[in-house]
Amino acid sequence: MADVLSALMKICCIGAGYVGGPTMAMIAHKCEDIEVTVVDLNEERIAAWNSEKLPIYEPGLEEIVSDARGRNLFFSTAVDESIAEADIVFISVNTPTKTYGTGAGKAADLKYIELCARQIAKVSTTDKIIVEKSTIPVRTATTIKRILSSGNSNVKFQVLSNPEFLAEGTAIKDLMAPDRVLIGGEESEAGQKAIQTLVDVYARWVDKANILTTNVWSSELSKLTANAFLAQRISSINAISSLCEVTGANVDEVARAIGMDSRIGPKFLKASVGFGGSCFQKDVLNLVYLCEHYGLHKEAEYWEQVITMNDHQKKRFVDKIVKTLFNTVSGKKIAILGFAFKKDTNDTRETAAIYVCRDLIEEQAHVCIYDPQVPAEKIYADLEISEDDPRVTICSSAKEAATDAHAIAILTEWDEFKDIDFKGVYQSMLKPAFLFDGRNILDRGRLEEIGFEVYGVGSA
Ligand code: NAD
Ligand code: UGA
């Protein structure tokens, strides 16, 4: 590990997912002299990373992958070999909510992290820096260190925490110019040296003032805290959206008014059908579990409300549809525009659309779904139904989804939805034609002029 920057540095990243793929592609793109290998057990995923059709849709990703792939960026299933050769090993595997045993439904399942640590301990014959890139509970580094110390006693490891703050849909922009890069390490001389090695990698393109170094625990906890604060803002504005709907206030106007207070700021104040994505819910629940674990029950209850409010918002949206459509959607066709959890991604993990569609199916509606990036088979799998289920139709355009429909529900803010010929769509629908804008992206006045009855989140 000594002076790795003077020789050809080798980085191995375990986990070729939404984080491992883009972050390593950015390091390889920015540091031509560093050999970066991303490994995964999932052969199909690795094959896709080596193909023209990447496994994840992310604006700008194709360009940086094709720049570096084959030069100093490699995707491989040779996990052991790649770990053995590396100076730095990033662990970027999934840390989902535990579904069994102690902590089920809240705690993070660290089995994949533990497996990585065991694998590293088993195959390492040279000193390495191990980087926690995955989001994990505070003090996970202790577990990793204990497992690593069970391997070859001549090999020295330093464990760093370097959480990732990218958001899907803007991952490349976020990686190119991050608000901050956070690196936590031990306060010992060896720990500080390891921190410096990683700082020097990021400093190739990130301003040093934006590279923050802390102790390991602060770094680990900062990641969960950042996601909890972001999710909390959404639940807060969504709680206000209900009040707007019954009082005649408009949530976008309220958000604008409060966001101009520099202490509050304008970002993350968009009321919606509820936040989705693989991390907010799991990370807030993880924080709740941690608080409970340390006996901080009031704190746990406080953070749990963020999730309670988000579940309520999704449910409230379906209730609004059913109530508006004369208290029944049974046998009615409902067009769903957007299935991804946000625009510019094909990721559907925890998308509000899953819950909305399931509830509508439960209400016996005929649900017709269109999303520009999510493949049909993914939607069927998420809804846990077979492809010939008559209750759901996957459409190849918004117009197709809306033809003969009683209502349209917009669940993802894809830009292309703003350009739809809504006049034509309105003409193809049964009357009265309802539109439920779960993202408040459309011009309500213009739609009402066309003839739609429009319901946005957070306006009367
Ligand atoms: P992902 O599920 O897309 O990718 C994880 C990959 O790790 C999978 O391809 C899986 O096959 C692989 N894997 C698991 N165990 C392995 C092993 N032992 N050896 C080799 N490969 C293995 O997950 P993701 O979205 O990339 O998230 C990874 C971590 O980053 C999570 O902890 C998440 O909370 C965090 N995170 C995610 C985002 C995001 O936007 N998705 C942002 C910041 C942080
Ligand atoms: C989020 C964080 O923004 C990232 O910093 C973090 O790294 C990541 O989680 C993670 O740890 O996985 P992501 O979930 O990809 O990123 O996307 P966001 O832009 O945060 O959106 C999350 C959800 O909140 C989406 O469903 C989005 O539509 C919703 N949202 C966002 C709102 O409803 N209102 C808003 O104002 C903002």
Side-chain angles (χ1 to χ4, degrees), residues 14-20 39-42 45 79 92-95 112 115-116 133-135 164-168 223 278-279 282-283 349:
I14 312 178
Y18 283 85
V19 167
V39 294
D40 205 295
L41 298 172
N42 183 333
R45 215 166 200 186
V79 179
S92 191
V93 297
N94 35 331
T95 49
Y112 305 106
L115 274 172
C116 288
K133 186 53 116 177
S134 298
T135 303
E164 184 49 58
F165 295 99
L166 68 79
E168 290 177 28
K223 173 63 196 176
S278 60
C279 293
K282 113 175 141 58
D283 292 349
R349 290 177 289 181

Side-chain angles (χ1 to χ4, degrees), residues 234-427:
I234 304 170
S235 279
S236 297
I237 198 70
N238 282 341
I240 296 299
S241 76
S242 315
L243 198 55
C244 289
E245 287 168 26
V246 291
T247 56
N250 177 303
V251 77
D252 281 340
E253 290 179 356
V254 174
R256 185 145 184 263
I258 64 166
M260 284 173 79
D261 185 326
S262 59
R263 294 167 302 173
I264 297 175
K267 294 182 184 167
F268 259 71
L269 286 178
K270 189 80 188 142
S272 66
V273 55
F275 60 73
S278 60
C279 293
F280 278 173
Q281 175 165 307
K282 113 175 141 58
D283 292 349
V284 175
L285 289 173
N286 191 348
L287 193 62
V288 169
Y289 181 75
L290 272 171
C291 291
E292 281 170 356
H293 173 80
Y294 287 105
L296 306 171
H297 299 293
K298 285 285 168 211
E299 292 79 352
E301 273 172 32
Y302 173 79
W303 285 112
E304 197 156 18
Q305 282 303 310
V306 171
I307 303 301
T308 305
M309 183 51 61
N310 198 49
D311 290 341
H312 172 64
Q313 189 74 351
K314 293 181 270 191
K315 174 90 177 49
R316 218 167 62 73
F317 190 78
V318 177
D319 288 348
K320 183 86 181 175
I321 296 178
V322 176
K323 207 165 156 207
T324 309
L325 268 71
F326 317 109
N327 279 324
T328 177
V329 289
S330 177
K332 292 180 183 167
K333 178 174 171 181
I334 313 283
I336 300 291
L337 302 192
F339 198 82
F341 82 98
K342 62 184 285 198
K343 75 172 182 178
D344 290 338
T345 179
N346 58 347
D347 195 348
T348 60
R349 290 177 289 181
E350 287 299 328
T351 177
I354 294 177
Y355 298 91
V356 170
C357 292
R358 274 195 200 148
D359 283 359
L360 288 171
I361 293 168
E362 187 74 14
E363 291 281 346
Q364 302 185 348
H366 175 208
V367 177
C368 296
I369 306 167
Y370 166 67
D371 186 282
Q373 285 294 336
V374 181
E377 58 273 19
K378 184 83 189 85
I379 298 177
Y380 287 121
D382 285 339
L383 296 177
E384 296 173 335
I385 56 172
S386 66
E387 303 204 356
D388 54 9
D389 193 311
R391 300 172 298 177
V392 173
T393 305
I394 309 299
C395 303
S396 50
S397 71
K399 179 86 184 272
E400 185 193 334
T403 299
D404 292 334
H406 294 78
I408 298 175
I410 297 191
L411 299 189
T412 315
E413 70 282 19
W414 285 102
D415 287 339
E416 70 170 63
F417 295 163
K418 293 182 197 155
D419 299 329
I420 290 173
D421 164 21
F422 275 103
K423 207 169 186 170
V425 167
Y426 174 77
Q427 280 156 6

Side-chain angles (χ1 to χ4, degrees), residues 117-122 143-153 155 157:
R118 291 190 190 282
Q119 203 71 6
I120 295 168
K122 193 171 102 191
T143 310
I144 296 180
K145 279 200 84 162
R146 280 195 62 191
I147 295 171
L148 292 174
S149 65
S150 66
N152 182 339
S153 56
V155 179
F157 296 103

Side-chain angles (χ1 to χ4, degrees), residues 66-266:
S66 54
D67 162 66
R69 196 174 51 192
R71 179 189 68 204
N72 63 325
L73 175 65
F74 304 94
F75 294 93
S76 162
T77 50
V79 179
D80 289 358
E81 292 85 331
S82 176
I83 294 172
E85 285 177 10
D87 304 295
I88 304 182
V89 180
F90 284 82
I91 301 180
S92 191
V93 297
N94 35 331
T95 49
T97 304
K98 226 179 147 194
T99 53
Y100 53 89
T102 312
K106 281 186 188 148
D109 190 343
L110 296 180
K111 71 178 171 204
Y112 305 106
I113 297 274
E114 196 183 317
L115 274 172
C116 288
R118 291 190 190 282
Q119 203 71 6
I120 295 168
K122 193 171 102 191
V123 304
S124 295
T125 52
T126 57
D127 297 352
K128 297 182 198 311
I129 297 173
I130 310 303
V131 184
E132 299 170 343
K133 186 53 116 177
S134 298
T135 303
I136 32 80
V138 57
R139 297 206 74 89
T140 302
T142 311
T143 310
I144 296 180
K145 279 200 84 162
R146 280 195 62 191
I147 295 171
L148 292 174
S149 65
S150 66
N152 182 339
S153 56
N154 295 323
V155 179
K156 291 194 181 52
F157 296 103
Q158 271 300 318
V159 179
L160 300 180
S161 159
N162 171 221
E164 184 49 58
F165 295 99
L166 68 79
E168 290 177 28
T170 53
I172 300 308
K173 200 170 122 272
D174 297 341
L175 289 167
M176 197 74 86
D179 285 352
R180 76 323 209 166
V181 167
L182 178 58
I183 302 173
E186 269 180 22
E187 274 145 22
S188 62
E189 197 185 322
Q192 294 303 305
K193 198 165 171 215
I195 289 179
Q196 195 54 47
T197 304
L198 194 55
V199 167
D200 290 342
V201 172
Y202 285 108
R204 309 281 192 98
W205 77 97
V206 179
D207 193 329
K208 277 205 171 154
N210 293 348
I211 304 178
L212 188 65
T213 60
T214 64
N215 78 32
V216 188
W217 319 128
S218 306
S219 174
E220 289 180 339
L221 186 56
S222 298
K223 173 63 196 176
L224 287 187
T225 308
N227 274 358
F229 270 57
L230 291 168
Q232 181 200 42
R233 267 175 86 94
I234 304 170
S235 279
S236 297
I237 198 70
N238 282 341
I240 296 299
S241 76
S242 315
L243 198 55
C244 289
E245 287 168 26
V246 291
T247 56
N250 177 303
V251 77
D252 281 340
E253 290 179 356
V254 174
R256 185 145 184 263
I258 64 166
M260 284 173 79
D261 185 326
S262 59
R263 294 167 302 173
I264 297 175

